[in-house]
Structures are given as C-alpha cells and as structure tokens.
Amino acid sequence: MPNHTTNYNLIKPTPAEFYDIEVHNENMDTIDTNLADVQEQLTTHLDNVANIPRARYKTAISKNLPSTTWTNVGWDVMGIDTENFVSQSNNTEIVINKSGEYLITTNVIITGTANKGYRNVMITKNGNYLAYQNNSTTDIGIPTIRTVCTVVEHLEVGDIIEIRAYQDSGIELSIGVESSFSITKIAGFS
C-alpha cells in the first residue's frame, strides 16, 4: 500500500510496488494545481503592494540655498501619483486630497564648496514642524551631504506638506538634482 506526502497528499509508492504512470500523472496534476494557486496568491499580493497609494517628487535642476535661511524646497518632477491623493498648489506645496495616515520621507542633497556647518531638513504640515533632521559637516569634511527625514502623520484633506532646507556654511549652497520627496498612504484606505 503506498504512502502519501504530508502537505499535498501526493502518492508515494513503496519500493515493492511497480511503477505506475497513472500515479505519476496524478501527482503531477496535484503539483500543477497547487503551484497555480500559489502563483495566483502571489500575483494578487504583488498587485495589492503595487496599488498602495503613493506619490513621489524630485528636483530636476539645482536650487539656491542661502546661508542661515530656512528655504522651501521646490519640486520639478512628479514621478508617480497612483491615486491622485496629492496635488501641488505650487512647486513647494503638496496638498492632500484624501485623508489618512501617511509615511512622508524626504532625501535632500545639499551641495557646494563649503565643508563646514550644518545641513538641516524639516517636514512641515500647514507651516508647522512635523519632523527634523540635522547633519553637521564639521566633522565629516565633505561639501555634499544627503539629509534624510521621515515621519508618519495623520493628514486631512487640504493639509499642506512642505519640505524646508537650511545650511549655515556662510556661503550660498545648492539643493542638488535628484533630491526627492515621497508620501505613501499607509492607513485609512477608502
């Protein structure tokens, strides 16, 4: 009498049994059916991940960043907006079109000839502080630095998100090309 596998109940003939092509074919049909189910589940999962509402902006040209002045970062290119949940009232203000819980991340490249001072980035909501990241270049000794800042926040329709940058090198620096801003809706899906 044959044995069966634990998970898919495939037939395992004993060594004393003769090879039977029907048993082999039945096992292959079971494997095929189960693999098709796994593939469908994986495709559904990947489709759901791909449909997470998100938007991404970046800079295509460098921007002036004066010393000792908080400056709003302007975004030139919208790379993606999967569900039209944000809009731009101008190139610095991102307006929320759908309420929910959001992950906001920015990666600002501050570049120039100075390798001293601070490089700071702030995320604001309706002009008020949400999150802040400070980098000191005094100990690093490099003129270009990436400053990453991330926050999770509940946002309502009409809320305005801005990214602000600051540096105190004593000379004007630049917000570099390929700086980026992304916002992902993580809860409150409608």
Side-chain angles (χ1 to χ4, degrees):
M1 177 115 191
N3 296 319
H4 292 85
T5 61
T6 305
N7 296 312
Y8 295 108
N9 204 31
L10 300 174
I11 300 168
K12 293 173 40 177
T14 63
E17 293 180 285
F18 289 104
Y19 181 80
D20 184 348
I21 194 71
E22 292 301 321
V23 169
H24 173 80
N25 288 342
E26 185 178 329
N27 283 342
M28 287 295 144
D29 288 340
T30 302
I31 292 169
D32 184 68
T33 299
N34 284 294
L35 281 176
D37 289 345
V38 168
Q39 182 178 2
E40 184 177 332
Q41 290 171 12
L42 180 58
T43 300
T44 300
H45 174 73
L46 292 175
D47 286 346
N48 289 336
V49 168
N51 290 325
I52 292 175
R54 64 191 181 281
R56 185 168 192 268
Y57 296 86
K58 66 179 186 175
T59 57
I61 56 172
S62 57
K63 315 277 192 274
N64 294 337
L65 183 58
S67 184
T68 65
T69 303
W70 280 101
T71 304
N72 288 344
V73 178
W75 306 106
D76 307 314
V77 179
M78 182 176 70
I80 187 173
D81 184 356
T82 60
E83 290 193 14
N84 192 33
F85 67 91
V86 296
S87 58
Q88 281 183 276
S89 62
N90 60 50
N91 74 337
T92 65
E93 296 180 349
I94 308 302
V95 180
I96 303 303
N97 295 334
K98 296 180 182 179
S99 297
E101 201 76 16
Y102 288 90
L103 170 66
I104 305 164
T105 302
T106 189
N107 174 12
V108 177
I109 302 164
I110 300 175
T111 187
T113 57
N115 62 359
K116 65 177 185 167
Y118 292 97
R119 310 295 188 264
N120 304 327
V121 172
M122 183 187 322
I123 300 172
T124 67
K125 175 175 104 175
N126 302 325
N128 299 309
Y129 162 88
L130 274 184
Y132 172 82
Q133 177 61 45
N134 172 40
N135 285 320
S136 169
T137 61
T138 305
D139 299 329
I140 301 172
I142 56 173
T144 299
I145 192 163
R146 290 178 181 267
T147 303
V148 177
C149 188
T150 300
V151 66
V152 172
E153 180 73 9
H154 180 81
L155 301 174
E156 295 292 334
V157 173
D159 282 344
I160 296 172
I161 301 299
E162 291 178 295
I163 307 303
R164 296 181 180 164
Y166 174 92
Q167 60 89 14
D168 66 352
S169 68
I171 63 172
E172 185 173 276
L173 299 178
S174 296
I175 295 170
V177 173
E178 298 297 321
S179 293
S180 62
F181 163 75
S182 66
I183 183 165
T184 304
K185 194 168 184 187
I186 58 175
F189 294 91
S190 51

